[in-house]
Structure formats: C-alpha cells, structure tokens
Amino acid sequence: MNKIETLKYSADALCLYGAPADGDTLLSSLLRLLHSLDSEAVFRCYADFFRKVAASGSLKQGLSESILTADNAFTRAAAAGTEAQLPPSIHAAVRSDLDKLEALSALTAEDVLAAAPDAYRATLATLPHWELGKAVPPLTDGWAAQTAQLAAFHRQNGYGQFVRNAAFCWQGNTLTPMTALDPIRLTELKNYERQRQQVLENTEAFLNGLPANNVLLYGDRGTGKSSTVHALLNEYRDRGLRMIEISKGTIGKLSQIREAVADCPMRFIVFIDDLSFESHDDAFGELKAALEGSLAGRQGNMLIYATSNRRHLIKENFADRENDVHRSDTLQEELSLSDRFGLSVYFENPDKAEYLDIMLKIADDRGLRTDREQLCVDAELWARRRGGRSPRCARQFVDAVEAKEKRSIS
C-alpha cells in the first residue's frame, strides 16, 4: 500500500476529529483531494486544498487548529474538566485520530504528484506547493502523546467555536460569532471603583460556580456602563467567560439561547445594552420570566447583564399616570423587573472635579504633552459645548487632543 492510499484510509477512519467529505474545511478539502487522484477532478481539488492551506498559513498549522477547535465528546469533557471520567474507548479514539492527523499533516505536493496518473502529472507539476509549517501549541511533535496538554488547553479555552470566539449574537436561531470587539480594558476605565467592584465581585463569583445575580447597570449616559461589561469579557475570557449580545427584540429568544448553551461548560453573560420598554411592551413580561419567573429562569452557566439610562426601565408619560386608576399596582409591576436583576448598580455623571480627574488620568495613560492646566480649561469648555460632563466626554476630549498632537509631530 503506497503512502497516499494509507493517508486516504486514515482520513476516512477518523472517529472523533473527522470532517464530512462535503464540508468546507481544510480536512474536508484534503479528503476530497486524496479521493480525486484518479480523476480529472484532481486539479480542482488540488487548487481548493492549496487555497485552504494558504488561508491557514501551513498544513500543520491548519490541521492542528482544527484539532484545537473541534467539538466532540473529548473536547467538551476536557473543557468541563471531566475528561478523566470518559470511557477508555474515547481516549483510545483521541490518540488514534491524533496519530492519523499528524501523518496527514506531513502530506507534500510531491506525494500527490508521485501518486497521480501519468496523464495528470505534467499539469500538476505546474501548480504551487504548499507549506508544511509547524503545529499550533500546545501541539508540537507526537500529537497522540499530547492528550493531557490538549485537555489543559480546553479547560482554559473551551471547545469548538468558543475557542476562536468570545462574543456572539443570536441570528437565525443560532449563535453567530462577533469578530469586531471593543478592546477596552478595566484599567482604562477611570474612577467609579465602587460600582465596578460590585460588578467584578458578582462576575468572579459566577465564574467560580458560586451564587451570582443578574445585573442591571443604570444611570446617566456616557458613564461607562456598557464599557464596564465589554471590559469584563476582555478580563475574564481566559477563565471561560463568553458573552452573547442581544437586542430588546431578541428577548423572546432567551429560552432558545438557554437551551443552546445548556450543556456547555463555559460561562455566559447575555448582554442587553440600552434597555428600556414602552408601555404594554410584550418583551417586558418575557424578560421578567427569563430573569426568574419561568421554569428555565435559572441556569448555572448563564446570567443576564443589562444597561439602561432609567431605573424603572419603562418609559412613562403623563397620560399614563392620569389614566391609571391602579397607579400603585403599575409601579410595583415596573419595579418587579428591575428587582429581579438581583444586583442594580447606579452610575451618575461626575461633578467638575471628578470629570477633570478622569480626563487627566486618561491623558496620563496616553502620554499627552499638553500642559495640564490648559487641558483642564479646554476640557471644561469641551464639556459645556457638548451639554454636560461624563467619562465619555472626557475620553472624546482626550482623543481629540491626542490626534492634534500626533498631527503636529507628523
């Protein structure tokens, strides 16, 4: 049996890490190439395989990444730290598949050329050769012997799509990765230490499997409510935190979202930004049930964090008060939603001294050269022109000054 036939049978015999022949992955493309050597389809399959290897960087890099991002019985158990409880047959399958995949990662263009029929070799010889490269850590050499390293990797990084992505949205009844994320870090957020500490302590309890609350961050616009939640993901991603951002219109899908992540060992924050409701909004009752009232309302691996500019969440006008003969009952209904968050954290606009303090701290982080007294004068004028002081206003002012300084240097 020649090398190509051995590799073809190995690719077909993958038990846990295999790919469907009609898939659009690097491994699927490799499988099609190995099966096409005796037909004219070999040219199309070769070209498709080369494109996928080029997109991955190299063959070893691409196949090792497919191992690290696989979703199977072993990777799920490893992410949960329970791989030792799996039956011996699963561990044997992992070692067998890793051994086969490492052999496949050594396939060269010369191997394909040598196995092709004479009639195809002249054309195949004109095609570019792919790079073998190196595997992505923790895989190095001898993949079958590195199951312990793989398990440690999945405990820290999760499995499947949760390895590559930390944030998702809900589209078409499925989790869809979000690739453009806010890079804000907690160290970049100035002041509001007491508020942020409450959110941090709740989040750490959640990650440690301790009782934790759904969180409502409410208060004045531009005070860093959304940025605080975004920074949590950047801070705790390596500890298994993942985020699912939804709009108010998606609240009715919360039960489906819960089901989609129910058996996942990762920890999920469902983030609803700028939350508010109109009177008689159906989403109000749906969120209320999702927070606590429904049978599936509490789930150990999922919490809801929401931001809002209002404490009661429901927009109200004077006519609502005039026409409501049961005003007390209505108020209690409105409060019942915010109360179900468990933890409500209030962010208010800073006074002048605190606003300038925030601005100066950001300016120091950026290394601005402008005189600090002049910065304070200009920052106050900037805030007046924009209708009020806030951390967002301070950051926008520093952005403008930094851009001006860099333009003067260039």
Side-chain angles (χ1 to χ4, degrees):
M1 187 182 300
N2 61 40
K3 179 179 181 179
I4 290 293
E5 284 200 344
T6 301
L7 293 178
K8 181 169 62 176
Y9 297 153
S10 294
D12 287 336
L14 293 170
C15 296
L16 290 177
Y17 288 89
D22 59 350
D24 194 33
T25 66
L26 174 60
L27 185 55
S28 297
S29 182
L30 174 55
L31 190 62
R32 287 193 292 271
L33 175 60
L34 293 174
H35 280 274
S36 69
L37 290 179
D38 293 329
S39 72
E40 293 181 0
V42 66
F43 304 115
R44 184 178 66 255
C45 293
Y46 187 109
D48 180 63
F49 176 66
F50 182 87
R51 283 192 294 270
K52 286 186 170 55
V53 172
S56 298
S58 70
L59 181 55
K60 286 185 181 292
Q61 180 177 342
L63 288 182
S64 59
E65 283 181 347
S66 73
I67 292 169
L68 299 179
T69 57
D71 182 351
N72 58 45
F74 174 76
T75 60
R76 287 188 174 224
T82 60
E83 75 279 0
Q85 302 172 21
L86 292 171
S89 60
I90 297 295
H91 291 279
V94 172
R95 292 190 296 270
S96 175
D97 280 5
L98 293 178
D99 188 52
K100 292 179 174 68
L101 285 165
E102 187 171 20
L104 287 164
S105 74
L107 175 71
T108 65
E110 289 84 357
D111 294 329
V112 172
L113 188 62
D118 294 341
Y120 301 153
R121 287 180 185 168
T123 302
L124 286 172
T126 68
L127 300 180
H129 293 191
W130 56 83
E131 303 291 332
L132 292 185
K134 294 183 178 181
V136 178
L139 297 173
T140 52
D141 294 318
W143 295 358
Q146 295 179 321
T147 56
Q149 292 90 326
L150 268 182
F153 172 86
H154 290 301
R155 274 195 296 277
Q156 181 173 356
N157 299 283
Y159 66 90
Q161 63 178 338
F162 303 118
V163 174
R164 293 180 183 270
N165 305 289
F168 303 83
C169 59
W170 187 257
Q171 290 183 343
N173 295 323
T174 188
L175 290 177
T176 301
M178 299 172 63
T179 55
L181 303 181
D182 184 352
I184 190 77
R185 308 292 302 205
L186 288 170
T187 53
E188 298 176 54
L189 301 173
K190 307 305 180 183
N191 299 10
Y192 295 90
E193 286 85 0
R194 179 183 58 80
Q195 291 91 331
R196 264 187 278 281
Q197 188 60 33
Q198 294 180 71
V199 180
L200 287 174
E201 289 176 356
N202 188 74
T203 305
E204 290 190 358
F206 176 50
L207 293 173
N208 291 328
L210 301 174
N213 286 300
N214 299 303
V215 180
L216 174 64
L217 299 85
Y218 72 100
D220 297 316
R221 57 187 174 84
T223 48
K225 303 181 295 295
S226 300
S227 294
T228 296
V229 180
H230 295 164
L232 290 176
L233 183 61
N234 297 324
E235 184 76 16
Y236 296 116
R237 173 176 181 165
D238 290 343
R239 289 180 56 182
L241 182 64
R242 298 294 183 265
M243 195 165 289
I244 304 170
E245 185 168 356
I246 67 171
S247 65
K248 189 185 75 170
T250 315
I251 287 174
K253 303 291 185 180
L254 275 170
S255 59
Q256 292 177 251
I257 296 173
R258 289 185 191 279
E259 290 299 317
V261 302
D263 61 346
C264 181
M266 316 300 289
R267 299 278 172 167
F268 294 88
I269 288 177
V270 172
F271 177 44
I272 312 172
D273 197 20
D274 197 19
L275 180 64
S276 65
F277 299 97
E278 302 291 341
S279 298
H280 312 298
D281 194 330
D282 290 341
F284 178 90
E286 291 169 346
L287 179 57
K288 184 177 173 182
L291 286 169
E292 193 170 289
S294 67
L295 288 174
R298 302 293 292 177
Q299 188 165 300
N301 70 336
M302 181 174 139
L303 288 178
I304 296 173
Y305 282 25
T307 66
S308 178
N309 293 337
R310 58 184 68 242
R311 173 72 169 89
H312 292 175
L313 300 178
I314 294 182
K315 296 178 181 178
E316 183 183 61
N317 56 47
F318 187 75
D320 292 331
R321 298 191 178 194
E322 287 285 307
N323 297 331
D324 193 349
V325 296
H326 300 292
R327 176 61 193 153
S328 176
D329 291 344
T330 301
L331 180 60
Q332 290 304 313
E333 174 72 7
E334 293 174 2
L335 289 172
S336 69
L337 177 59
S338 54
D339 287 347
R340 291 191 185 207
F341 276 95
L343 176 61
S344 295
V345 184
Y346 178 50
F347 288 71
E348 63 181 330
N349 273 332
D351 58 21
K352 179 179 178 179
E354 190 172 13
Y355 163 72
L356 294 177
D357 182 54
I358 292 170
M359 181 276 296
L360 290 173
K361 287 176 180 177
I362 299 173
D364 289 340
D365 283 354
R366 305 277 187 90
L368 297 189
R369 305 186 316 277
T370 305
D371 176 75
R372 290 323 188 232
E373 275 192 34
Q374 187 61 48
L375 276 178
C376 289
V377 172
D378 293 343
E380 179 63 11
L381 181 60
W382 178 281
R384 288 178 183 175
R385 288 173 175 171
R386 280 155 182 77
R389 308 179 186 97
S390 71
R392 179 189 295 158
C393 181
R395 187 175 300 277
Q396 290 170 342
F397 169 74
V398 173
D399 287 342
V401 175
E402 183 180 19
K404 183 178 179 180
E405 287 190 0
K406 288 182 177 178
R407 284 196 303 270
S408 67
I409 293 175
S410 60

